[in-house]
mmCIF file of all heavy atoms in Angstrom:
data_model
loop_
_atom_site.group_PDB
_atom_site.id
_atom_site.type_symbol
_atom_site.label_atom_id
_atom_site.label_comp_id
_atom_site.label_asym_id
_atom_site.label_seq_id
_atom_site.Cartn_x
_atom_site.Cartn_y
_atom_site.Cartn_z
ATOM 1 N N THR A 24 0.800 -1.245 0.010
ATOM 2 C CA THR A 24 0.002 0.004 -0.004
ATOM 3 C C THR A 24 0.810 1.296 0.002
ATOM 4 O O THR A 24 0.443 2.238 -0.610
ATOM 5 C CB THR A 24 -0.967 0.053 1.219
ATOM 6 O OG1 THR A 24 -0.219 -0.187 2.402
ATOM 7 C CG2 THR A 24 -2.012 -1.059 1.083
ATOM 8 N N LEU A 25 1.945 1.276 0.693
ATOM 9 C CA LEU A 25 2.703 2.526 0.731
ATOM 10 C C LEU A 25 3.268 2.976 -0.604
ATOM 11 O O LEU A 25 3.077 4.091 -1.007
ATOM 12 C CB LEU A 25 3.804 2.421 1.862
ATOM 13 C CG LEU A 25 3.308 2.150 3.271
ATOM 14 C CD1 LEU A 25 4.470 2.079 4.254
ATOM 15 C CD2 LEU A 25 2.253 3.095 3.710
ATOM 16 N N PRO A 26 3.957 2.034 -1.327
ATOM 17 C CA PRO A 26 4.342 2.451 -2.645
ATOM 18 C C PRO A 26 3.239 2.636 -3.636
ATOM 19 O O PRO A 26 3.284 3.441 -4.542
ATOM 20 C CB PRO A 26 5.266 1.302 -3.134
ATOM 21 C CG PRO A 26 4.928 0.111 -2.210
ATOM 22 C CD PRO A 26 4.493 0.720 -0.953
ATOM 23 N N LEU A 27 2.073 1.937 -3.355
ATOM 24 C CA LEU A 27 0.918 2.101 -4.267
ATOM 25 C C LEU A 27 0.335 3.513 -4.090
ATOM 26 O O LEU A 27 0.015 4.177 -5.108
ATOM 27 C CB LEU A 27 -0.181 1.091 -3.870
ATOM 28 C CG LEU A 27 -1.502 1.159 -4.669
ATOM 29 C CD1 LEU A 27 -1.256 0.878 -6.133
ATOM 30 C CD2 LEU A 27 -2.533 0.205 -4.106
ATOM 31 N N VAL A 28 0.234 4.038 -2.911
ATOM 32 C CA VAL A 28 -0.219 5.388 -2.645
ATOM 33 C C VAL A 28 0.678 6.358 -3.407
ATOM 34 O O VAL A 28 0.208 7.284 -4.117
ATOM 35 C CB VAL A 28 -0.231 5.717 -1.184
ATOM 36 C CG1 VAL A 28 -0.431 7.258 -0.934
ATOM 37 C CG2 VAL A 28 -1.377 4.960 -0.470
ATOM 38 N N ARG A 29 1.962 6.261 -3.272
ATOM 39 C CA ARG A 29 2.907 7.169 -3.920
ATOM 40 C C ARG A 29 2.759 7.137 -5.396
ATOM 41 O O ARG A 29 2.804 8.141 -6.103
ATOM 42 C CB ARG A 29 4.344 6.867 -3.475
ATOM 43 C CG ARG A 29 4.613 7.243 -1.983
ATOM 44 C CD ARG A 29 6.082 7.097 -1.612
ATOM 45 N NE ARG A 29 6.499 5.735 -1.542
ATOM 46 C CZ ARG A 29 6.541 4.999 -0.392
ATOM 47 N NH1 ARG A 29 6.189 5.588 0.724
ATOM 48 N NH2 ARG A 29 6.977 3.798 -0.359
ATOM 49 N N ALA A 30 2.623 5.944 -5.957
ATOM 50 C CA ALA A 30 2.468 5.736 -7.396
ATOM 51 C C ALA A 30 1.167 6.398 -7.916
ATOM 52 O O ALA A 30 1.120 7.013 -8.956
ATOM 53 C CB ALA A 30 2.513 4.303 -7.807
ATOM 54 N N CYS A 31 0.090 6.203 -7.148
ATOM 55 C CA CYS A 31 -1.248 6.819 -7.504
ATOM 56 C C CYS A 31 -1.168 8.341 -7.471
ATOM 57 O O CYS A 31 -1.712 9.057 -8.339
ATOM 58 C CB CYS A 31 -2.311 6.321 -6.587
ATOM 59 S SG CYS A 31 -2.819 4.570 -6.913
ATOM 60 N N VAL A 32 -0.503 8.860 -6.427
ATOM 61 C CA VAL A 32 -0.389 10.333 -6.346
ATOM 62 C C VAL A 32 0.336 10.877 -7.587
ATOM 63 O O VAL A 32 -0.013 11.880 -8.175
ATOM 64 C CB VAL A 32 0.351 10.684 -5.055
ATOM 65 C CG1 VAL A 32 0.790 12.205 -5.075
ATOM 66 C CG2 VAL A 32 -0.477 10.433 -3.806
ATOM 67 N N GLU A 33 1.428 10.214 -7.979
ATOM 68 C CA GLU A 33 2.243 10.679 -9.114
ATOM 69 C C GLU A 33 1.424 10.599 -10.406
ATOM 70 O O GLU A 33 1.416 11.528 -11.256
ATOM 71 C CB GLU A 33 3.500 9.885 -9.218
ATOM 72 C CG GLU A 33 4.405 10.310 -10.376
ATOM 73 C CD GLU A 33 5.704 9.559 -10.426
ATOM 74 O OE1 GLU A 33 5.971 8.795 -9.462
ATOM 75 O OE2 GLU A 33 6.436 9.709 -11.408
ATOM 76 N N ALA A 34 0.742 9.479 -10.584
ATOM 77 C CA ALA A 34 0.018 9.278 -11.827
ATOM 78 C C ALA A 34 -1.328 9.921 -11.934
ATOM 79 O O ALA A 34 -1.838 10.139 -13.050
ATOM 80 C CB ALA A 34 -0.173 7.724 -12.079
ATOM 81 N N GLY A 35 -1.948 10.221 -10.792
ATOM 82 C CA GLY A 35 -3.291 10.773 -10.742
ATOM 83 C C GLY A 35 -4.374 9.664 -10.675
ATOM 84 O O GLY A 35 -5.525 9.934 -10.921
ATOM 85 N N GLN A 36 -3.924 8.420 -10.446
ATOM 86 C CA GLN A 36 -4.894 7.363 -10.370
ATOM 87 C C GLN A 36 -5.608 7.447 -8.968
ATOM 88 O O GLN A 36 -5.034 7.607 -7.970
ATOM 89 C CB GLN A 36 -4.145 6.004 -10.431
ATOM 90 C CG GLN A 36 -5.000 4.805 -10.829
ATOM 91 C CD GLN A 36 -4.190 3.753 -11.458
ATOM 92 O OE1 GLN A 36 -3.058 3.913 -11.822
ATOM 93 N NE2 GLN A 36 -4.776 2.559 -11.618
ATOM 94 N N PRO A 37 -6.976 7.331 -9.040
ATOM 95 C CA PRO A 37 -7.727 7.692 -7.810
ATOM 96 C C PRO A 37 -7.650 6.611 -6.688
ATOM 97 O O PRO A 37 -7.618 5.363 -6.990
ATOM 98 C CB PRO A 37 -9.113 7.781 -8.275
ATOM 99 C CG PRO A 37 -9.195 6.976 -9.579
ATOM 100 C CD PRO A 37 -7.834 7.102 -10.163
ATOM 101 N N PHE A 38 -7.627 7.082 -5.479
ATOM 102 C CA PHE A 38 -7.761 6.190 -4.308
ATOM 103 C C PHE A 38 -8.621 6.899 -3.252
ATOM 104 O O PHE A 38 -8.691 8.138 -3.168
ATOM 105 C CB PHE A 38 -6.454 5.794 -3.708
ATOM 106 C CG PHE A 38 -5.535 6.878 -3.195
ATOM 107 C CD1 PHE A 38 -5.834 7.435 -2.004
ATOM 108 C CD2 PHE A 38 -4.460 7.323 -3.891
ATOM 109 C CE1 PHE A 38 -5.042 8.469 -1.474
ATOM 110 C CE2 PHE A 38 -3.678 8.301 -3.442
ATOM 111 C CZ PHE A 38 -3.914 8.907 -2.223
ATOM 112 N N LEU A 39 -9.263 6.063 -2.405
ATOM 113 C CA LEU A 39 -9.974 6.540 -1.233
ATOM 114 C C LEU A 39 -9.498 5.847 -0.038
ATOM 115 O O LEU A 39 -9.444 4.578 0.054
ATOM 116 C CB LEU A 39 -11.477 6.325 -1.380
ATOM 117 C CG LEU A 39 -12.345 6.612 -0.195
ATOM 118 C CD1 LEU A 39 -12.284 8.028 0.265
ATOM 119 C CD2 LEU A 39 -13.838 6.224 -0.464
ATOM 120 N N GLY A 40 -8.906 6.579 0.932
ATOM 121 C CA GLY A 40 -8.374 5.938 2.147
ATOM 122 C C GLY A 40 -9.337 5.991 3.329
ATOM 123 O O GLY A 40 -9.977 7.017 3.502
ATOM 124 N N VAL A 41 -9.424 4.870 4.028
ATOM 125 C CA VAL A 41 -10.398 4.705 5.132
ATOM 126 C C VAL A 41 -9.617 4.185 6.373
ATOM 127 O O VAL A 41 -9.012 3.124 6.284
ATOM 128 C CB VAL A 41 -11.585 3.767 4.769
ATOM 129 C CG1 VAL A 41 -12.389 3.449 6.014
ATOM 130 C CG2 VAL A 41 -12.457 4.476 3.721
ATOM 131 N N CYS A 42 -9.667 4.921 7.449
ATOM 132 C CA CYS A 42 -9.129 4.466 8.744
ATOM 133 C C CYS A 42 -7.636 4.079 8.623
ATOM 134 O O CYS A 42 -6.788 4.943 8.487
ATOM 135 C CB CYS A 42 -9.959 3.364 9.338
ATOM 136 S SG CYS A 42 -9.684 3.199 11.176
ATOM 137 N N ARG A 43 -7.303 2.812 8.593
ATOM 138 C CA ARG A 43 -5.885 2.496 8.375
ATOM 139 C C ARG A 43 -5.385 2.985 7.036
ATOM 140 O O ARG A 43 -4.271 3.442 6.922
ATOM 141 C CB ARG A 43 -5.670 0.933 8.483
ATOM 142 C CG ARG A 43 -4.201 0.550 8.095
ATOM 143 C CD ARG A 43 -3.976 -0.953 7.845
ATOM 144 N NE ARG A 43 -2.781 -1.024 7.050
ATOM 145 C CZ ARG A 43 -1.668 -1.673 7.413
ATOM 146 N NH1 ARG A 43 -1.627 -2.216 8.623
ATOM 147 N NH2 ARG A 43 -0.625 -1.757 6.646
ATOM 148 N N GLY A 44 -6.311 2.996 6.076
ATOM 149 C CA GLY A 44 -5.913 3.515 4.735
ATOM 150 C C GLY A 44 -5.575 5.002 4.797
ATOM 151 O O GLY A 44 -4.713 5.502 4.107
ATOM 152 N N PHE A 45 -6.326 5.751 5.666
ATOM 153 C CA PHE A 45 -6.007 7.126 5.924
ATOM 154 C C PHE A 45 -4.629 7.322 6.455
ATOM 155 O O PHE A 45 -3.839 8.173 6.091
ATOM 156 C CB PHE A 45 -7.066 7.683 6.932
ATOM 157 C CG PHE A 45 -6.845 8.952 7.566
ATOM 158 C CD1 PHE A 45 -7.399 10.158 7.038
ATOM 159 C CD2 PHE A 45 -6.134 9.121 8.742
ATOM 160 C CE1 PHE A 45 -7.290 11.391 7.610
ATOM 161 C CE2 PHE A 45 -5.999 10.344 9.381
ATOM 162 C CZ PHE A 45 -6.552 11.523 8.804
ATOM 163 N N GLN A 46 -4.276 6.442 7.427
ATOM 164 C CA GLN A 46 -2.969 6.451 8.037
ATOM 165 C C GLN A 46 -1.869 6.043 7.066
ATOM 166 O O GLN A 46 -0.777 6.597 7.057
ATOM 167 C CB GLN A 46 -2.932 5.592 9.302
ATOM 168 C CG GLN A 46 -3.893 6.080 10.399
ATOM 169 C CD GLN A 46 -4.273 5.001 11.397
ATOM 170 O OE1 GLN A 46 -3.690 3.940 11.445
ATOM 171 N NE2 GLN A 46 -5.309 5.293 12.226
ATOM 172 N N GLU A 47 -2.153 5.083 6.196
ATOM 173 C CA GLU A 47 -1.208 4.664 5.168
ATOM 174 C C GLU A 47 -0.922 5.860 4.236
ATOM 175 O O GLU A 47 0.263 5.972 3.814
ATOM 176 C CB GLU A 47 -1.834 3.505 4.344
ATOM 177 C CG GLU A 47 -1.781 2.189 5.116
ATOM 178 C CD GLU A 47 -2.585 1.089 4.375
ATOM 179 O OE1 GLU A 47 -3.546 1.418 3.629
ATOM 180 O OE2 GLU A 47 -2.239 -0.052 4.590
ATOM 181 N N VAL A 48 -1.891 6.611 3.867
ATOM 182 C CA VAL A 48 -1.680 7.758 2.996
ATOM 183 C C VAL A 48 -0.658 8.709 3.638
ATOM 184 O O VAL A 48 0.318 9.198 3.021
ATOM 185 C CB VAL A 48 -2.949 8.490 2.618
ATOM 186 C CG1 VAL A 48 -2.681 9.784 1.826
ATOM 187 C CG2 VAL A 48 -3.861 7.558 1.798
ATOM 188 N N ASN A 49 -0.860 8.997 4.932
ATOM 189 C CA ASN A 49 0.038 9.903 5.625
ATOM 190 C C ASN A 49 1.445 9.327 5.709
ATOM 191 O O ASN A 49 2.410 10.097 5.410
ATOM 192 C CB ASN A 49 -0.505 10.182 7.012
ATOM 193 C CG ASN A 49 0.297 11.252 7.711
ATOM 194 O OD1 ASN A 49 0.421 12.409 7.220
ATOM 195 N ND2 ASN A 49 0.882 10.952 8.882
ATOM 196 N N VAL A 50 1.624 8.049 6.042
ATOM 197 C CA VAL A 50 2.923 7.455 6.181
ATOM 198 C C VAL A 50 3.596 7.410 4.815
ATOM 199 O O VAL A 50 4.790 7.639 4.689
ATOM 200 C CB VAL A 50 2.782 6.110 6.864
ATOM 201 C CG1 VAL A 50 4.145 5.414 6.825
ATOM 202 C CG2 VAL A 50 2.307 6.255 8.302
ATOM 203 N N ALA A 51 2.843 6.995 3.783
ATOM 204 C CA ALA A 51 3.410 6.917 2.465
ATOM 205 C C ALA A 51 3.993 8.224 1.994
ATOM 206 O O ALA A 51 5.007 8.220 1.265
ATOM 207 C CB ALA A 51 2.312 6.498 1.436
ATOM 208 N N MET A 52 3.482 9.335 2.476
ATOM 209 C CA MET A 52 3.970 10.678 2.076
ATOM 210 C C MET A 52 4.992 11.198 3.052
ATOM 211 O O MET A 52 5.364 12.402 2.998
ATOM 212 C CB MET A 52 2.760 11.651 1.970
ATOM 213 C CG MET A 52 1.767 11.210 0.915
ATOM 214 S SD MET A 52 2.422 10.972 -0.769
ATOM 215 C CE MET A 52 2.782 12.626 -1.210
ATOM 216 N N GLY A 53 5.449 10.381 3.989
ATOM 217 C CA GLY A 53 6.504 10.782 4.908
ATOM 218 C C GLY A 53 6.063 11.232 6.279
ATOM 219 O O GLY A 53 6.901 11.720 7.058
ATOM 220 N N GLY A 54 4.760 11.055 6.611
ATOM 221 C CA GLY A 54 4.261 11.398 7.910
ATOM 222 C C GLY A 54 4.394 10.408 8.925
ATOM 223 O O GLY A 54 4.847 9.248 8.700
ATOM 224 N N SER A 55 4.090 10.723 10.161
ATOM 225 C CA SER A 55 4.163 9.772 11.334
ATOM 226 C C SER A 55 2.783 9.607 12.016
ATOM 227 O O SER A 55 1.921 10.452 11.779
ATOM 228 C CB SER A 55 5.251 10.201 12.288
ATOM 229 O OG SER A 55 4.914 11.456 12.885
ATOM 230 N N LEU A 56 2.678 8.659 12.964
ATOM 231 C CA LEU A 56 1.480 8.372 13.618
ATOM 232 C C LEU A 56 1.682 8.301 15.130
ATOM 233 O O LEU A 56 2.713 7.864 15.605
ATOM 234 C CB LEU A 56 0.921 7.043 13.173
ATOM 235 C CG LEU A 56 0.655 6.843 11.668
ATOM 236 C CD1 LEU A 56 0.257 5.396 11.385
ATOM 237 C CD2 LEU A 56 -0.414 7.816 11.170
ATOM 238 N N TYR A 57 0.641 8.678 15.911
ATOM 239 C CA TYR A 57 0.580 8.399 17.302
ATOM 240 C C TYR A 57 0.098 6.942 17.487
ATOM 241 O O TYR A 57 -0.885 6.524 16.780
ATOM 242 C CB TYR A 57 -0.394 9.306 17.976
ATOM 243 C CG TYR A 57 0.089 10.721 18.211
ATOM 244 C CD1 TYR A 57 -0.615 11.760 17.557
ATOM 245 C CD2 TYR A 57 1.098 11.035 19.008
ATOM 246 C CE1 TYR A 57 -0.167 13.067 17.739
ATOM 247 C CE2 TYR A 57 1.524 12.353 19.228
ATOM 248 C CZ TYR A 57 0.904 13.347 18.548
ATOM 249 O OH TYR A 57 1.240 14.681 18.729
ATOM 250 N N PRO A 58 0.701 6.161 18.363
ATOM 251 C CA PRO A 58 0.252 4.764 18.521
ATOM 252 C C PRO A 58 -1.081 4.654 19.249
ATOM 253 O O PRO A 58 -1.825 3.659 19.000
ATOM 254 C CB PRO A 58 1.346 4.145 19.395
ATOM 255 C CG PRO A 58 2.005 5.287 20.109
ATOM 256 C CD PRO A 58 1.896 6.439 19.166
ATOM 257 N N GLU A 59 -1.437 5.643 20.053
ATOM 258 C CA GLU A 59 -2.719 5.516 20.820
ATOM 259 C C GLU A 59 -3.263 6.895 21.106
ATOM 260 O O GLU A 59 -2.800 7.607 22.019
ATOM 261 C CB GLU A 59 -2.495 4.762 22.093
ATOM 262 C CG GLU A 59 -3.741 4.361 22.803
ATOM 263 C CD GLU A 59 -4.643 3.430 22.058
ATOM 264 O OE1 GLU A 59 -4.313 2.233 21.891
ATOM 265 O OE2 GLU A 59 -5.727 3.882 21.543
ATOM 266 N N ILE A 60 -4.251 7.375 20.350
ATOM 267 C CA ILE A 60 -4.810 8.669 20.470
ATOM 268 C C ILE A 60 -5.347 8.951 21.868
ATOM 269 O O ILE A 60 -5.223 10.005 22.440
ATOM 270 C CB ILE A 60 -5.910 8.902 19.415
ATOM 271 C CG1 ILE A 60 -5.343 8.954 18.042
ATOM 272 C CG2 ILE A 60 -6.748 10.160 19.718
ATOM 273 C CD1 ILE A 60 -4.511 10.241 17.804
ATOM 274 N N ARG A 61 -6.056 7.980 22.462
ATOM 275 C CA ARG A 61 -6.747 8.155 23.722
ATOM 276 C C ARG A 61 -5.772 8.440 24.872
ATOM 277 O O ARG A 61 -6.218 8.916 25.953
ATOM 278 C CB ARG A 61 -7.608 6.968 24.085
ATOM 279 C CG ARG A 61 -6.843 5.651 24.242
ATOM 280 C CD ARG A 61 -7.764 4.458 24.514
ATOM 281 N NE ARG A 61 -7.042 3.248 24.553
ATOM 282 C CZ ARG A 61 -7.590 2.031 24.723
ATOM 283 N NH1 ARG A 61 -8.911 1.943 24.849
ATOM 284 N NH2 ARG A 61 -6.953 0.964 24.709
ATOM 285 N N ASP A 62 -4.505 8.175 24.682
ATOM 286 C CA ASP A 62 -3.476 8.444 25.744
ATOM 287 C C ASP A 62 -2.997 9.882 25.732
ATOM 288 O O ASP A 62 -2.214 10.289 26.609
ATOM 289 C CB ASP A 62 -2.300 7.475 25.618
ATOM 290 C CG ASP A 62 -2.683 6.073 25.914
ATOM 291 O OD1 ASP A 62 -3.699 5.810 26.584
ATOM 292 O OD2 ASP A 62 -1.894 5.135 25.556
ATOM 293 N N LEU A 63 -3.349 10.667 24.659
ATOM 294 C CA LEU A 63 -2.868 12.018 24.581
ATOM 295 C C LEU A 63 -3.764 12.936 25.417
ATOM 296 O O LEU A 63 -4.960 12.795 25.473
ATOM 297 C CB LEU A 63 -2.930 12.440 23.072
ATOM 298 C CG LEU A 63 -2.048 11.649 22.127
ATOM 299 C CD1 LEU A 63 -2.267 12.087 20.705
ATOM 300 C CD2 LEU A 63 -0.597 11.732 22.508
ATOM 301 N N PRO A 64 -3.155 13.978 26.008
ATOM 302 C CA PRO A 64 -3.953 14.915 26.832
ATOM 303 C C PRO A 64 -4.999 15.616 25.942
ATOM 304 O O PRO A 64 -4.743 16.040 24.839
ATOM 305 C CB PRO A 64 -2.893 15.937 27.302
ATOM 306 C CG PRO A 64 -1.614 15.199 27.253
ATOM 307 C CD PRO A 64 -1.715 14.264 26.079
ATOM 308 N N GLY A 65 -6.204 15.630 26.526
ATOM 309 C CA GLY A 65 -7.300 16.327 25.827
ATOM 310 C C GLY A 65 -8.012 15.616 24.698
ATOM 311 O O GLY A 65 -8.923 16.133 24.127
ATOM 312 N N ARG A 66 -7.543 14.391 24.402
ATOM 313 C CA ARG A 66 -8.137 13.634 23.312
ATOM 314 C C ARG A 66 -9.226 12.664 23.843
ATOM 315 O O ARG A 66 -9.093 12.155 24.942
ATOM 316 C CB ARG A 66 -7.119 12.830 22.591
ATOM 317 C CG ARG A 66 -6.037 13.658 21.927
ATOM 318 C CD ARG A 66 -6.491 14.491 20.771
ATOM 319 N NE ARG A 66 -5.358 15.187 20.154
ATOM 320 C CZ ARG A 66 -4.721 14.736 19.064
ATOM 321 N NH1 ARG A 66 -5.054 13.553 18.531
ATOM 322 N NH2 ARG A 66 -3.698 15.388 18.567
ATOM 323 N N MET A 67 -10.241 12.475 23.060
ATOM 324 C CA MET A 67 -11.254 11.491 23.385
ATOM 325 C C MET A 67 -10.821 10.053 22.969
ATOM 326 O O MET A 67 -9.782 9.913 22.306
ATOM 327 C CB MET A 67 -12.533 11.815 22.687
ATOM 328 C CG MET A 67 -12.510 11.769 21.156
ATOM 329 S SD MET A 67 -14.058 12.101 20.350
ATOM 330 C CE MET A 67 -14.913 10.556 20.594
ATOM 331 N N ASN A 68 -11.565 9.098 23.425
ATOM 332 C CA ASN A 68 -11.299 7.735 23.040
ATOM 333 C C ASN A 68 -12.001 7.475 21.696
ATOM 334 O O ASN A 68 -13.194 7.423 21.635
ATOM 335 C CB ASN A 68 -11.826 6.731 24.076
ATOM 336 C CG ASN A 68 -11.562 5.260 23.735
ATOM 337 O OD1 ASN A 68 -10.911 5.031 22.709
ATOM 338 N ND2 ASN A 68 -12.055 4.358 24.504
#
């Protein structure tokens, strides 16, 4: 998925990311993730 996202971005081929797919898009483009949102101050579960 990570190289697939990058290839689609370059070519213009469409994708829709959902949940983990949303996170894959961010990581594929060089981003990072929190392992557990609910442990962060002020965040909901």
